[in-house]
Amino acid sequence: MSPYRLAAVIGHPIGHSKSPILHRHWLRQHGIKGDYTALDIAPSDLKTALPLLPKLGFSGVNVTIPHKTAVLDLADEITPTAARIGAANTLTFQNGQIHADNTDAYGFLTNLRTQAPNWTADRPAFVIGAGGAARAVIDGLIEAGVPEIRLTNRTTSKADILAADFPRTVVNADPSDCGLIVNTTSLGMTGHPPLPFDSFDPSTTVADLVYSPLETPLLRDAKAHGCVTVDGLGMLLHQAVPAFHRWFGVRPTVTDTLKQEVLA
Ligand code: NAP
């Protein structure tokens, strides 16, 4: 194998991605010769471009919008997690094959356990949103052993479809008695309206997948009501750990220094 290792994030558009900042931080930290870049690949080019990447020396790629589902059709091997979520965010090129995985559920759960160490999976969870990110969050919560997942979404039909795909998941807009509330919508993101939510109980942990701003209106209000809060940046950082490990051979750690560098 070449001593110079390459990886990338593929998407369209891709200019906003924070992934090069965090992977380059770890490459520098561990003195690894290589680079991690961002590749803008249009949907119509994906089928042609993806098989070329291993030939150009890439060890693997992260996958973001709009390719997360489409890459499954191009993969030789799909992990059970990626199959359940119906999307991949991490591809590894090995022995001429494309291996597809999804590390978002791992990233969500690891971040939750890091920022809310006293959270336990013994009460229902309330998940707002039914897009791709919600699927990863629900998969992680089921893995953690949460007894019931209550799902609510602007478009109820999408919540119905998602609930049918996962065990212990029901469409229910009642957050009472839930030990965890998770916003998986884009509401609260800079330039978007805040999430309309005010049923806070201090015993509830409140997590937001949005990380720009780091403290969303939801998290600010939850904190004011005495809830433990979990920001979305940690999920982004933790989902990258298994990918970096696979491609560059070192398992990196998520530190405050890294968080500050990604936020800057
Ligand atoms: P997606 O598949 O497009 O789903 C978007 C979700 O947001 C849908 O449930 C949608 O509801 C809802 N939504 C959008 N605008 C809304 C509005 N005005 N009112 C109510 N609901 C609205 O997107 P995604 O991939 O799941 O990502 C969702 C969010 O999570 C994004 O902000 C993304 O940046 C963030 N995210 C963060 C991480 C992380 O590592 N922290 C990872 C993945 C995603 P409808 O079904 O009704 O349209």
Side-chain angles (χ1 to χ4, degrees), residues 123-126 148 150 172-179 181 197 199 201 204:
R123 286 162 65 195
F126 189 68
E148 181 184 67
R150 297 187 197 154
N172 182 338
D174 178 13
S176 52
D177 307 326
C178 286
I181 288 161
F197 187 88
S199 307
D201 180 286
T204 306

PDB file of all heavy atoms in Angstrom, residues 123-126 148 150 172-179 181 197 199 201 204:
ATOM      1  N   ARG A 123     -36.267   4.818  29.677  1.00  0.00           N
ATOM      2  CA  ARG A 123     -37.538   5.512  29.447  1.00  0.00           C
ATOM      3  C   ARG A 123     -37.725   5.743  27.945  1.00  0.00           C
ATOM      4  O   ARG A 123     -36.757   5.723  27.182  1.00  0.00           O
ATOM      5  CB  ARG A 123     -37.529   6.852  30.187  1.00  0.00           C
ATOM      6  CG  ARG A 123     -37.685   6.694  31.705  1.00  0.00           C
ATOM      7  CD  ARG A 123     -37.254   7.934  32.455  1.00  0.00           C
ATOM      8  NE  ARG A 123     -38.093   9.084  32.175  1.00  0.00           N
ATOM      9  CZ  ARG A 123     -37.750  10.348  32.483  1.00  0.00           C
ATOM     10  NH1 ARG A 123     -36.591  10.615  33.050  1.00  0.00           N
ATOM     11  NH2 ARG A 123     -38.560  11.328  32.202  1.00  0.00           N
ATOM     12  N   PRO A 124     -38.967   5.999  27.509  1.00  0.00           N
ATOM     13  CA  PRO A 124     -39.170   6.257  26.074  1.00  0.00           C
ATOM     14  C   PRO A 124     -38.366   7.476  25.595  1.00  0.00           C
ATOM     15  O   PRO A 124     -37.998   8.332  26.398  1.00  0.00           O
ATOM     16  CB  PRO A 124     -40.678   6.545  25.980  1.00  0.00           C
ATOM     17  CG  PRO A 124     -41.275   5.934  27.196  1.00  0.00           C
ATOM     18  CD  PRO A 124     -40.233   6.003  28.263  1.00  0.00           C
ATOM     19  N   ALA A 125     -38.097   7.511  24.297  1.00  0.00           N
ATOM     20  CA  ALA A 125     -37.418   8.663  23.688  1.00  0.00           C
ATOM     21  C   ALA A 125     -38.373   9.322  22.698  1.00  0.00           C
ATOM     22  O   ALA A 125     -39.201   8.634  22.064  1.00  0.00           O
ATOM     23  CB  ALA A 125     -36.152   8.206  22.985  1.00  0.00           C
ATOM     24  N   PHE A 126     -38.271  10.643  22.585  1.00  0.00           N
ATOM     25  CA  PHE A 126     -39.145  11.419  21.695  1.00  0.00           C
ATOM     26  C   PHE A 126     -38.276  11.972  20.575  1.00  0.00           C
ATOM     27  O   PHE A 126     -37.346  12.755  20.831  1.00  0.00           O
ATOM     28  CB  PHE A 126     -39.781  12.551  22.509  1.00  0.00           C
ATOM     29  CG  PHE A 126     -40.857  13.305  21.787  1.00  0.00           C
ATOM     30  CD1 PHE A 126     -42.062  12.715  21.474  1.00  0.00           C
ATOM     31  CD2 PHE A 126     -40.665  14.644  21.434  1.00  0.00           C
ATOM     32  CE1 PHE A 126     -43.073  13.421  20.809  1.00  0.00           C
ATOM     33  CE2 PHE A 126     -41.662  15.354  20.784  1.00  0.00           C
ATOM     34  CZ  PHE A 126     -42.873  14.750  20.472  1.00  0.00           C
ATOM     35  N   GLU A 148     -39.260   2.430  24.007  1.00  0.00           N
ATOM     36  CA  GLU A 148     -40.231   2.934  23.025  1.00  0.00           C
ATOM     37  C   GLU A 148     -39.681   4.216  22.411  1.00  0.00           C
ATOM     38  O   GLU A 148     -39.118   5.048  23.116  1.00  0.00           O
ATOM     39  CB  GLU A 148     -41.579   3.228  23.701  1.00  0.00           C
ATOM     40  CG  GLU A 148     -42.627   3.719  22.721  1.00  0.00           C
ATOM     41  CD  GLU A 148     -43.934   4.111  23.395  1.00  0.00           C
ATOM     42  OE1 GLU A 148     -43.952   5.105  24.162  1.00  0.00           O
ATOM     43  OE2 GLU A 148     -44.934   3.436  23.158  1.00  0.00           O
ATOM     44  N   ARG A 150     -41.005   7.463  20.370  1.00  0.00           N
ATOM     45  CA  ARG A 150     -42.170   8.209  19.878  1.00  0.00           C
ATOM     46  C   ARG A 150     -41.673   9.195  18.839  1.00  0.00           C
ATOM     47  O   ARG A 150     -40.765   9.990  19.095  1.00  0.00           O
ATOM     48  CB  ARG A 150     -42.852   8.957  21.023  1.00  0.00           C
ATOM     49  CG  ARG A 150     -43.396   7.987  22.050  1.00  0.00           C
ATOM     50  CD  ARG A 150     -44.213   8.716  23.090  1.00  0.00           C
ATOM     51  NE  ARG A 150     -44.372   7.864  24.257  1.00  0.00           N
ATOM     52  CZ  ARG A 150     -44.567   8.298  25.480  1.00  0.00           C
ATOM     53  NH1 ARG A 150     -44.646   9.603  25.726  1.00  0.00           N
ATOM     54  NH2 ARG A 150     -44.714   7.466  26.473  1.00  0.00           N
ATOM     55  N   ASN A 172     -46.276   9.256  17.549  1.00  0.00           N
ATOM     56  CA  ASN A 172     -46.933   9.725  18.765  1.00  0.00           C
ATOM     57  C   ASN A 172     -46.317  11.084  19.110  1.00  0.00           C
ATOM     58  O   ASN A 172     -45.099  11.199  19.257  1.00  0.00           O
ATOM     59  CB  ASN A 172     -46.683   8.706  19.899  1.00  0.00           C
ATOM     60  CG  ASN A 172     -47.372   9.083  21.194  1.00  0.00           C
ATOM     61  OD1 ASN A 172     -47.698  10.240  21.421  1.00  0.00           O
ATOM     62  ND2 ASN A 172     -47.575   8.102  22.047  1.00  0.00           N
ATOM     63  N   ALA A 173     -47.159  12.107  19.226  1.00  0.00           N
ATOM     64  CA  ALA A 173     -46.640  13.465  19.455  1.00  0.00           C
ATOM     65  C   ALA A 173     -46.644  13.856  20.930  1.00  0.00           C
ATOM     66  O   ALA A 173     -46.589  15.039  21.251  1.00  0.00           O
ATOM     67  CB  ALA A 173     -47.456  14.464  18.639  1.00  0.00           C
ATOM     68  N   ASP A 174     -46.671  12.858  21.834  1.00  0.00           N
ATOM     69  CA  ASP A 174     -46.709  13.156  23.269  1.00  0.00           C
ATOM     70  C   ASP A 174     -45.333  12.897  23.904  1.00  0.00           C
ATOM     71  O   ASP A 174     -44.936  11.738  24.083  1.00  0.00           O
ATOM     72  CB  ASP A 174     -47.778  12.266  23.928  1.00  0.00           C
ATOM     73  CG  ASP A 174     -47.828  12.487  25.431  1.00  0.00           C
ATOM     74  OD1 ASP A 174     -47.225  13.472  25.915  1.00  0.00           O
ATOM     75  OD2 ASP A 174     -48.473  11.670  26.113  1.00  0.00           O
ATOM     76  N   PRO A 175     -44.631  13.970  24.290  1.00  0.00           N
ATOM     77  CA  PRO A 175     -43.287  13.767  24.857  1.00  0.00           C
ATOM     78  C   PRO A 175     -43.281  13.467  26.362  1.00  0.00           C
ATOM     79  O   PRO A 175     -42.214  13.244  26.929  1.00  0.00           O
ATOM     80  CB  PRO A 175     -42.609  15.111  24.594  1.00  0.00           C
ATOM     81  CG  PRO A 175     -43.723  16.109  24.603  1.00  0.00           C
ATOM     82  CD  PRO A 175     -44.966  15.386  24.147  1.00  0.00           C
ATOM     83  N   SER A 176     -44.478  13.439  27.010  1.00  0.00           N
ATOM     84  CA  SER A 176     -44.460  13.276  28.470  1.00  0.00           C
ATOM     85  C   SER A 176     -43.881  11.910  28.855  1.00  0.00           C
ATOM     86  O   SER A 176     -44.055  10.929  28.137  1.00  0.00           O
ATOM     87  CB  SER A 176     -45.863  13.457  29.054  1.00  0.00           C
ATOM     88  OG  SER A 176     -46.776  12.641  28.401  1.00  0.00           O
ATOM     89  N   ASP A 177     -43.166  11.866  29.959  1.00  0.00           N
ATOM     90  CA  ASP A 177     -42.489  10.672  30.490  1.00  0.00           C
ATOM     91  C   ASP A 177     -41.269  10.246  29.676  1.00  0.00           C
ATOM     92  O   ASP A 177     -40.689   9.193  29.952  1.00  0.00           O
ATOM     93  CB  ASP A 177     -43.435   9.449  30.591  1.00  0.00           C
ATOM     94  CG  ASP A 177     -44.692   9.764  31.373  1.00  0.00           C
ATOM     95  OD1 ASP A 177     -44.581  10.575  32.309  1.00  0.00           O
ATOM     96  OD2 ASP A 177     -45.759   9.218  31.038  1.00  0.00           O
ATOM     97  N   CYS A 178     -40.906  11.007  28.644  1.00  0.00           N
ATOM     98  CA  CYS A 178     -39.746  10.592  27.848  1.00  0.00           C
ATOM     99  C   CYS A 178     -38.464  11.024  28.558  1.00  0.00           C
ATOM    100  O   CYS A 178     -38.381  12.115  29.115  1.00  0.00           O
ATOM    101  CB  CYS A 178     -39.800  11.205  26.452  1.00  0.00           C
ATOM    102  SG  CYS A 178     -41.037  10.399  25.416  1.00  0.00           S
ATOM    103  N   GLY A 179     -37.458  10.157  28.516  1.00  0.00           N
ATOM    104  CA  GLY A 179     -36.183  10.479  29.156  1.00  0.00           C
ATOM    105  C   GLY A 179     -35.263  11.251  28.231  1.00  0.00           C
ATOM    106  O   GLY A 179     -34.227  11.771  28.661  1.00  0.00           O
ATOM    107  N   ILE A 181     -35.265  13.763  24.471  1.00  0.00           N
ATOM    108  CA  ILE A 181     -35.920  14.429  23.339  1.00  0.00           C
ATOM    109  C   ILE A 181     -34.824  14.754  22.325  1.00  0.00           C
ATOM    110  O   ILE A 181     -33.774  15.286  22.704  1.00  0.00           O
ATOM    111  CB  ILE A 181     -36.642  15.703  23.818  1.00  0.00           C
ATOM    112  CG1 ILE A 181     -37.879  15.285  24.627  1.00  0.00           C
ATOM    113  CG2 ILE A 181     -37.043  16.599  22.646  1.00  0.00           C
ATOM    114  CD1 ILE A 181     -38.414  16.352  25.526  1.00  0.00           C
ATOM    115  N   PHE A 197     -41.122  24.055  20.584  1.00  0.00           N
ATOM    116  CA  PHE A 197     -41.207  22.985  21.594  1.00  0.00           C
ATOM    117  C   PHE A 197     -41.082  23.614  22.977  1.00  0.00           C
ATOM    118  O   PHE A 197     -40.167  24.407  23.208  1.00  0.00           O
ATOM    119  CB  PHE A 197     -40.086  21.958  21.388  1.00  0.00           C
ATOM    120  CG  PHE A 197     -40.204  20.751  22.275  1.00  0.00           C
ATOM    121  CD1 PHE A 197     -40.950  19.649  21.875  1.00  0.00           C
ATOM    122  CD2 PHE A 197     -39.597  20.726  23.524  1.00  0.00           C
ATOM    123  CE1 PHE A 197     -41.093  18.548  22.706  1.00  0.00           C
ATOM    124  CE2 PHE A 197     -39.730  19.620  24.355  1.00  0.00           C
ATOM    125  CZ  PHE A 197     -40.473  18.526  23.943  1.00  0.00           C
ATOM    126  N   SER A 199     -42.290  21.589  26.081  1.00  0.00           N
ATOM    127  CA  SER A 199     -42.683  20.620  27.133  1.00  0.00           C
ATOM    128  C   SER A 199     -41.446  20.085  27.846  1.00  0.00           C
ATOM    129  O   SER A 199     -41.115  18.903  27.718  1.00  0.00           O
ATOM    130  CB  SER A 199     -43.452  19.460  26.515  1.00  0.00           C
ATOM    131  OG  SER A 199     -44.514  19.932  25.762  1.00  0.00           O
ATOM    132  N   ASP A 201     -39.063  18.965  30.967  1.00  0.00           N
ATOM    133  CA  ASP A 201     -39.055  18.470  32.340  1.00  0.00           C
ATOM    134  C   ASP A 201     -37.564  18.341  32.711  1.00  0.00           C
ATOM    135  O   ASP A 201     -36.785  17.829  31.908  1.00  0.00           O
ATOM    136  CB  ASP A 201     -39.743  17.091  32.378  1.00  0.00           C
ATOM    137  CG  ASP A 201     -39.756  16.519  33.774  1.00  0.00           C
ATOM    138  OD1 ASP A 201     -38.673  16.065  34.249  1.00  0.00           O
ATOM    139  OD2 ASP A 201     -40.824  16.530  34.393  1.00  0.00           O
ATOM    140  N   THR A 204     -35.413  15.309  31.856  1.00  0.00           N
ATOM    141  CA  THR A 204     -35.266  14.886  30.461  1.00  0.00           C
ATOM    142  C   THR A 204     -33.953  15.414  29.872  1.00  0.00           C
ATOM    143  O   THR A 204     -33.599  16.569  30.087  1.00  0.00           O
ATOM    144  CB  THR A 204     -36.442  15.441  29.625  1.00  0.00           C
ATOM    145  OG1 THR A 204     -37.656  15.055  30.249  1.00  0.00           O
ATOM    146  CG2 THR A 204     -36.420  14.915  28.208  1.00  0.00           C
TER     147      THR A 204
END
